[in-house]
Amino acid sequence: MRTAPPSAPQHAPARPPEEPGAAQPPAPRAAWWETTDRLRAAATTEPGRLRIIGAALALLVVAFGAVTAWEITDRHTAAGDVVSRSQPLSADAANIYRSLADADTAAASGFLAGAQEPAEVQKRYRDDIATASGLLITAATHTDSESESGRQIRTLNEGLPRYTGLVERARANNRQGLPLGGAYLRYANEQMTKELLPAAEKLYAAETDRLARDNDAARLWPFVSLAVGVVALGVLVWAQRRNYRRTNRVFNHGLLAATAGATVLLLWLAAGQSVARAELDNAQKQGQESLKVLNDARINSLKARANENLTLVARGAVLTADGKHDKYETDYATGMDKLSTALGEARKLADNSAGGRPVDEAISAVTQWRERHKSVSETDRSGDYGTAVDKVIGGDGSTGQSFDRVDEALGAAVAQEQKEFKDSASDGRGALTGLATGAGVLALVAAVGAILGMGRRLSEYR
């Protein structure tokens, strides 16, 4: 029996060595190169070009809507801050200053009344301190403790108890007929004028600066949105013109809808921001500027009243730096001059009778106050101290009555300007309401229209 010869070992034939200089196989190309090649090839055919144009149009209008929603949301938020945060905090800061200054005035008036301080004066002092304390709590809850406003709030919270303690000591000594009471009251007034009121003034300035920043942010033109919108609209018009030249068809319903959506959004954006800017400008110029001048006037009237009272409390014990004049009488005259100047500016800024009438009343009351104060000074110099005090803190015919007229008129003027500011700022915010949502909806409509319009053209090639 014959057997098969053993099979030779099976090995893969060895590849011959490559000769030097032989051609190498091409290296694999990157995926993005292949995509580029496909796009380039597609661009050489009309269906491919239509797909690219449709995708570009959809991306442009979606980008237009997204950028518009982003910028308008930012403007609307800033306008909302103006209405509901910045301006109320600025007004609260002004009221903190007014309450503290009025409390100081009430303390001096009560001291002049003698041991039996009138109940209404005590109530006014307590109400002022309670108002200032409450407003400080509100301001602290809306303010960063490390900011300028936070630091001033901390100064006020630390200093106010010391001030009220000094006033109570002055009252206690005054009830016992001790002259030390006048010293305590002057010390309390010094703390008020050198520590508390400057801190309140800085707080007001910081909050007013924040209001100005929020107002500027709300008024800023949405340049990016407008630019993208113009580009998107221009490309849509170009695409329709190209479609007309190639097909001789006047309208493409999809592209027409996309153009309409982009046009409406662009016009809404421009009109809404224009109205918002106009209303916020009006709030700033007619409202906030008037409020600042009126608050300055109110502050100067309170300072003048406090100095008028302290003139009789000190009875010449405190002189100016040159040692020639009564310090409190000099400060009173300075405050009244500033008050008259501020009222003149406020009258110029008043743009209607509702705002001008209370300012006119305040001007009339200031004139009366000056005349009555001259009578007080003459009576005091003649040595009739008791009558002079009655002319300052008494009822009819007193400088206190004139001061109350000034304060009441300025309060009415501030309330009117506050209302005008809020109305204008609210209208400015309202002009932007709904625009961000509308931008998203219109952009989606325009994108769908562009895709359908191009799809209709592509269907002609199938």
Side-chain angles (χ1 to χ4, degrees):
M1 182 175 174
R2 297 178 61 186
T3 58
S7 59
Q10 299 183 4
H11 297 287
R15 293 180 59 185
E18 296 180 357
E19 297 180 4
Q24 301 293 325
R29 305 187 68 184
W32 67 275
W33 277 110
E34 295 178 1
T35 302
T36 302
D37 287 342
R38 284 198 298 269
L39 289 174
R40 188 182 295 114
T44 61
T45 65
E46 183 61 13
R49 285 191 287 268
L50 290 174
R51 290 188 181 93
I52 294 173
I53 293 172
L57 288 174
L59 286 174
L60 267 176
V61 294
V62 167
F64 178 31
V67 174
T68 298
W70 166 60
E71 287 196 306
I72 291 302
T73 297
D74 182 68
R75 306 301 187 273
H76 187 267
T77 299
D81 287 341
V82 168
V83 175
S84 60
R85 189 192 67 170
S86 304
Q87 206 285 323
L89 286 175
S90 177
D92 285 349
N95 284 329
I96 288 171
Y97 194 113
R98 191 206 68 79
S99 297
L100 291 174
D102 193 59
D104 198 48
T105 298
S109 297
F111 190 91
L112 280 177
Q116 298 299 321
E117 186 174 346
E120 63 273 13
V121 175
Q122 289 188 17
K123 182 179 183 302
R124 182 169 182 169
Y125 170 82
R126 289 194 302 269
D127 289 346
D128 284 332
I129 295 298
T131 298
S133 300
L135 291 175
L136 284 171
I137 293 173
T138 301
T141 59
H142 294 87
T143 304
D144 180 7
S145 60
E146 298 304 319
S147 65
E148 175 65 17
S149 295
R151 289 191 290 272
Q152 301 309 323
I153 290 172
R154 187 162 55 250
T155 298
L156 289 165
N157 281 328
E158 292 172 354
L160 190 55
R162 291 197 295 268
Y163 170 80
T164 56
L166 290 170
V167 170
E168 292 307 319
R169 290 186 182 183
R171 284 174 168 171
N173 282 275
N174 194 38
R175 283 193 293 268
Q176 298 176 44
L178 300 176
L180 190 59
Y184 273 119
L185 187 65
R186 292 194 300 271
Y187 188 26
N189 172 261
E190 183 177 358
Q191 185 183 8
M192 176 65 76
T193 56
K194 292 185 178 180
E195 179 181 344
L196 297 180
L197 291 183
E201 188 171 8
K202 290 178 182 177
L203 175 62
Y204 175 66
E207 294 302 330
T208 302
D209 286 344
R210 177 157 65 172
L211 171 59
R213 290 194 300 271
D214 287 340
N215 189 65
D216 289 342
R219 293 170 57 253
L220 184 65
W221 276 105
F223 292 109
V224 178
S225 300
L226 291 171
V228 176
V230 170
V231 171
L233 193 60
V235 175
L236 281 165
V237 171
W238 170 83
Q240 291 182 91
R241 185 171 180 272
R242 180 183 185 278
N243 183 59
Y244 168 73
R245 293 179 64 182
R246 288 179 179 271
T247 65
N248 205 31
R249 294 171 182 166
V250 178
F251 296 119
N252 177 294
H253 292 164
L255 292 180
L256 191 62
T259 304
T263 301
V264 169
L265 178 53
L266 188 60
L267 292 176
W268 188 2
L269 173 63
Q273 186 64 37
S274 296
V275 172
R277 281 176 61 88
E279 292 295 344
L280 289 168
D281 280 341
N282 185 61
Q284 179 68 24
K285 294 177 181 178
Q286 302 299 329
Q288 186 59 27
E289 290 183 8
S290 294
L291 282 171
K292 185 178 184 307
V293 173
L294 288 170
N295 284 325
D296 287 344
R298 209 170 188 186
I299 287 167
N300 284 312
S301 71
L302 289 163
K303 285 182 176 179
R305 178 59 177 169
N307 285 315
E308 182 179 51
N309 290 337
L310 287 167
T311 299
L312 295 179
V313 172
R315 306 187 70 173
V318 182
L319 302 178
T320 55
D322 58 11
K324 297 180 179 179
H325 305 283
D326 185 296
K327 178 183 182 303
Y328 295 119
E329 180 65 23
T330 302
D331 289 344
Y332 161 82
T334 301
M336 293 297 285
D337 289 341
K338 290 181 178 179
L339 171 59
S340 297
T341 300
L343 287 175
E345 293 179 9
R347 191 63 188 86
K348 293 178 183 177
L349 291 171
D351 57 343
N352 53 46
S353 59
R357 189 164 37 271
V359 176
D360 290 336
E361 173 64 20
I363 292 173
S364 173
V366 166
T367 301
Q368 181 191 71
W369 186 359
R370 286 180 181 273
E371 293 173 352
R372 290 178 176 181
H373 182 80
K374 288 181 182 178
S375 176
V376 172
S377 297
E378 292 171 358
T379 302
D380 187 33
R381 284 195 296 270
S382 69
D384 191 353
Y385 178 77
T387 302
V389 169
D390 288 339
K391 288 184 176 182
V392 170
I393 64 173
D396 292 341
S398 68
T399 59
Q401 185 186 50
S402 299
F403 163 75
D404 288 339
R405 281 185 60 201
V406 172
D407 193 60
E408 182 179 354
L410 288 175
V414 166
Q416 175 62 29
E417 296 299 334
Q418 189 88 20
K419 179 180 180 300
E420 291 185 6
F421 178 94
K422 186 174 182 180
D423 289 345
S424 294
S426 296
D427 289 343
R429 179 180 60 178
L432 301 176
T433 300
L435 182 49
T437 303
V441 173
L442 289 172
L444 181 61
V445 169
V448 171
I451 292 172
L452 292 177
M454 289 295 104
R456 180 68 180 271
R457 285 284 291 119
L458 282 169
S459 67
E460 298 172 359
Y461 290 87
R462 294 172 187 155

